Amino acid sequence: GNTYHLAVRPTTELLEDAGGLHKFMNWGGNLLTDSGGFQMVSLLKLAEITEEGVTFQSPRDDGTVCILRPEDSIAHQNRIGSDIIMALDDVVSSVSPDRARFEEATDRTVRWLDRCFSAHSRPNEQSLFAIVQGGLDCLPGGLREACLSAFHARDEKIPGYAIGGLAGGESKDAFWRVVAKCCASLPDDKPRYLMGVGYPLDLVVCTALGVDMYDCVYPTRTARFGVALLDVGALRVKGRECADDAAPLDAECACVACTKYTRGEIHVLLKEGAALGIQILTMHNVAYMMRLVKRMREAVMERRYVEFVRGFLERMFPKGDKEVPIWVREALHSVGIEILS
């Protein structure tokens, strides 16, 4: 759940009155809420950031103003009742050239974390994760290291960690190096959550680097563009090549889309602009990502993740290791996984 948007509408007070977000959406599983910090990037033109917190102008142009302080973010998430809640962090676009702003944001993220812990009223029911910031600076003594060091000093309070500030347009080379830097420094016995990631290939590589949890809009957003996710890569179902294809989206998938519809049938729905076509692809893409994560988890637990990675890359890049992107090869090499020809 997105704390900022839930606070604006329907309001977290309403959710609390309804018994929390679990009951409101009739969901018995775990829930995670973002702190609202990402809106500092996505709604930057509407936001003013100070030490006190963030002031947002409503994106709906109705003149209303929302103030989000660390204490407000935690209060909202306490009312929402999610199982994992996030500290409010000061987020800067990963491609910003403003070094001073990154330094300010990294230090402020640590100070805001302390305020979040002080404000947290349900620590026995909700796990409050800290978010590592610091831009793309992975150098010894750099900003990521400084943030990690500050969190190490607070480790007894922190049940889990997130890696933030990525998936914002940075190069893949910079991306994986930040992930590797953070994973190498974070405790082995606590969850590591990579925020805003990502593509299936990203998940496979970053799990090898040490990440445990992910979130991303990609599976649902790409479905709205008529694209299905497969191990061999993205399939443009809206494209002409699927028009007469009687095969399922994925013969190995047991979701409703793959067992009830053909590629050709979904193609027609998408071309006609029928909402059902997008809904079908959305169900498949979510099912695919859940199945991918399940397969990765089983491979890790059975100590065969290296073989899983190699098999996944062979399906996605059937022409051999030379087709595998350099960043993938370098990232995997850093943890001792070599790509076989």
Side-chain angles (χ1 to χ4, degrees):
N2 184 293
T3 295
Y4 167 77
H5 290 294
L6 289 174
V8 173
R9 192 167 60 189
T11 77
T12 57
E13 289 80 6
L14 184 149
L15 292 176
E16 184 178 38
D17 290 342
L21 187 57
H22 290 85
K23 290 187 177 179
F24 187 79
M25 61 187 292
N26 194 26
W27 172 249
N30 290 323
L31 287 176
L32 180 151
T33 42
D34 185 17
S35 64
F38 177 69
Q39 273 61 51
M40 296 181 204
V41 174
S42 64
L43 299 177
L44 181 59
K45 293 181 180 179
L46 302 174
E48 179 185 0
I49 305 166
T50 67
E51 185 65 25
E52 182 65 13
V54 192
T55 302
F56 294 101
Q57 295 179 5
S58 173
R60 298 183 177 88
D61 296 323
D62 59 6
T64 59
V65 173
C66 172
I67 299 175
L68 190 66
R69 294 171 287 252
E71 296 80 6
D72 299 318
S73 175
I74 297 303
H76 285 307
Q77 293 181 84
N78 286 160
R79 287 193 288 267
I80 290 169
S82 44
D83 302 280
I84 297 175
I85 67 176
M86 309 305 298
L88 183 65
D89 54 337
D90 190 350
V91 187
V92 183
S93 170
S94 61
V95 295
S96 170
D98 191 342
R99 170 73 183 190
R101 179 71 184 93
F102 277 114
E103 293 174 352
E104 174 188 56
T106 303
D107 292 340
R108 182 175 287 153
T109 291
V110 176
R111 293 193 296 270
W112 282 3
L113 175 64
D114 291 335
R115 290 169 61 184
C116 286
F117 274 117
S118 296
H120 190 14
S121 65
R122 301 176 65 182
N124 296 325
E125 304 167 79
Q126 297 174 293
S127 296
L128 171 56
F129 280 27
I131 304 175
V132 182
Q133 291 292 348
L136 305 179
D137 184 1
C138 292
L139 295 174
L143 295 180
R144 287 283 174 175
E145 198 167 281
C147 193
L148 287 161
S149 178
F151 287 174
H152 288 161
R154 296 159 172 80
D155 183 63
E156 289 187 1
K157 292 183 176 181
I158 303 173
Y161 293 87
I163 302 169
L166 295 175
E170 72 279 352
S171 71
K172 284 295 189 180
D173 183 70
F175 162 78
W176 83 258
R177 293 181 189 279
V178 171
V179 175
K181 173 75 174 181
C182 293
C183 286
S185 299
L186 291 172
D188 290 333
D189 60 347
K190 294 184 178 181
R192 302 163 180 166
Y193 162 36
L194 182 54
M195 306 181 77
V197 176
Y199 303 122
L201 181 60
D202 294 345
L203 269 63
V204 171
V205 173
C206 290
T207 297
L209 297 178
V211 175
D212 303 301
M213 298 168 53
Y214 304 90
D215 83 290
C216 192
V217 301
Y218 174 69
T220 52
R221 183 175 60 194
T222 200
R224 294 196 292 273
F225 289 97
V227 176
L229 302 180
L230 309 172
D231 274 0
V232 295
L235 174 68
R236 189 170 174 270
V237 186
K238 202 172 182 178
R240 184 180 303 172
E241 62 274 14
C242 289
D244 301 317
D245 195 336
L249 291 175
D250 186 344
E252 298 180 2
C253 181
C255 78
V256 172
C258 293
T259 56
K260 300 293 185 180
Y261 299 91
T262 67
R263 296 179 179 186
E265 289 168 340
I266 301 172
H267 169 86
V268 172
L269 292 171
L270 294 170
K271 294 298 285 187
E272 293 297 322
L276 179 60
I278 296 174
Q279 293 168 354
I280 290 169
L281 281 187
T282 298
M283 288 189 289
H284 166 74
N285 285 355
V286 171
Y288 170 82
M289 295 299 283
M290 296 298 290
R291 187 164 58 91
L292 173 61
V293 171
K294 180 181 179 182
R295 287 184 288 155
M296 291 194 298
R297 183 169 58 248
E298 290 174 347
V300 170
M301 294 176 67
E302 295 170 5
R303 299 184 181 277
R304 54 177 179 82
Y305 195 70
V306 173
E307 290 75 14
F308 174 84
V309 170
R310 288 173 177 162
F312 182 87
L313 293 178
E314 287 174 2
R315 290 189 295 276
M316 183 165 281
F317 304 105
K319 294 181 181 179
D321 64 318
K322 299 300 183 183
E323 191 182 8
V324 177
I326 293 175
W327 76 270
V328 173
R329 283 182 271 162
E330 291 183 346
L332 294 174
H333 174 77
S334 74
V335 290
I337 300 179
E338 304 299 338
I339 306 303
L340 302 178
S341 300

